[in-house]
Amino acid sequence: MSKKSRKKSSKTPSARPTAKKKPVKTRATTQTRSAKTQRRPASKSTGTIAKAASHGAASKPLNSSKSTAASAAKPVLAEGQKAPAFRLPRDGGGMVTLSDYAGRKLVLFFYPRADTPGCTREAIDFTRLADAFTAAGTAVIGISADPLKAQEKFRDKHSLGVPLISDEKHEMLEAYGAWGEKSMYGKSFLGILRTTVLVGSDGKVAKIWRNVRVDGHADQVLEAARGL
């Protein structure tokens, strides 16, 4: 055998495995493409789920804003309007109505909860000035959503000298604009807004204090009642 024929024969075996490898590469490429094709729908579905989840999370603030808009749409009591009528139970028994104070000035202070620090200071201040309010021809009533037993316990514990009304159904609170949305620790909820309303002897709302700050508030209300 000549040298040329040997070279040809030596190249032939090495060429055969190379020819076999090409289909393998093609198969591998096909498998890779098919794997990518399979992954694409999965990524799309994942994106759809993520969008749905984000939409669901965003719907909570939207619902909250709708409820806020709905509550804001309700007419809010304003100065000069006729005071809304009410009939509710008070501490010690009996019922209290607006008509009981016809022809007299009346202070209605709405507080969030009996025997809490701010509400206690406010009720004590109005009790301290009870005689001064009487001299000014003005009655004073405290209102919250606490049940009567809680109101009476609150009264006895701090020797309060003003009537305390229980509005568990929030009817009077809503009518006087003392019930609405509040926030605490990043959470929103409905509750009592610390509010005071001065009703004139003509039965109309003379003055409204909203978002009341307790310190010195009772004295401010007394001055307003004296000047009415």
Side-chain angles (χ1 to χ4, degrees):
M1 185 181 289
S2 64
K3 291 182 180 180
K4 290 182 179 180
S5 60
R6 287 177 182 174
K7 287 181 181 179
K8 289 180 180 179
S9 61
S10 62
K11 287 180 180 178
T12 302
S14 62
R16 287 176 184 174
T18 306
K20 290 180 180 179
K21 287 180 181 178
K22 287 180 181 179
V24 174
K25 288 182 180 180
T26 304
R27 289 175 185 174
T29 305
T30 304
Q31 291 176 356
T32 304
R33 288 176 181 174
S34 62
K36 288 180 179 180
T37 305
Q38 292 176 356
R39 288 175 187 170
R40 284 173 187 171
S43 63
K44 287 181 180 179
S45 62
T46 304
T48 304
I49 293 170
K51 287 179 181 179
S54 63
H55 178 71
S59 67
K60 291 181 180 180
L62 288 175
N63 290 338
S64 176
S65 64
K66 285 180 181 179
S67 63
T68 303
S71 61
K74 294 180 180 179
V76 179
L77 184 67
E79 296 175 1
Q81 293 181 346
K82 185 177 180 180
F86 59 86
R87 187 177 186 274
L88 292 168
R90 61 154 294 179
D91 62 306
M95 304 294 290
V96 176
T97 68
L98 178 64
S99 59
D100 294 338
Y101 300 92
R104 298 177 60 192
K105 291 176 285 187
L106 176 64
V107 170
L108 302 168
F109 70 96
F110 300 87
Y111 57 95
R113 190 174 180 181
D115 206 23
T116 52
C119 299
T120 299
R121 293 201 314 273
E122 185 176 19
I124 288 175
D125 283 346
F126 276 111
T127 296
R128 173 177 56 83
L129 298 172
D131 291 340
F133 275 105
T134 300
T138 308
V140 179
I141 300 176
I143 307 98
S144 74
D146 297 292
L148 284 177
K149 288 184 178 179
Q151 298 283 45
E152 291 171 352
K153 185 178 179 180
F154 181 38
R155 175 201 64 196
D156 295 340
K157 181 178 179 180
H158 301 285
S159 301
L160 301 178
V162 295
L164 302 178
I165 290 180
S166 176
D167 184 17
E168 294 186 78
K169 294 182 179 180
H170 315 145
E171 294 175 354
M172 183 181 180
L173 291 164
E174 291 183 12
Y176 280 83
W179 179 264
E181 187 174 350
K182 303 174 70 174
S183 61
M184 183 179 290
Y185 305 118
K187 295 182 178 180
S188 297
F189 58 96
L190 293 175
I192 298 176
L193 308 171
R194 196 183 299 279
T195 306
T196 299
V197 177
L198 173 61
V199 180
S201 57
D202 58 357
K204 294 182 180 180
V205 176
K207 189 168 180 60
I208 301 176
W209 292 264
R210 302 192 188 280
N211 301 315
V212 169
R213 293 186 178 183
V214 173
D215 295 338
H217 174 63
D219 296 275
Q220 293 175 357
V221 177
L222 176 59
E223 289 303 313
R226 284 173 172 168
L228 189 61

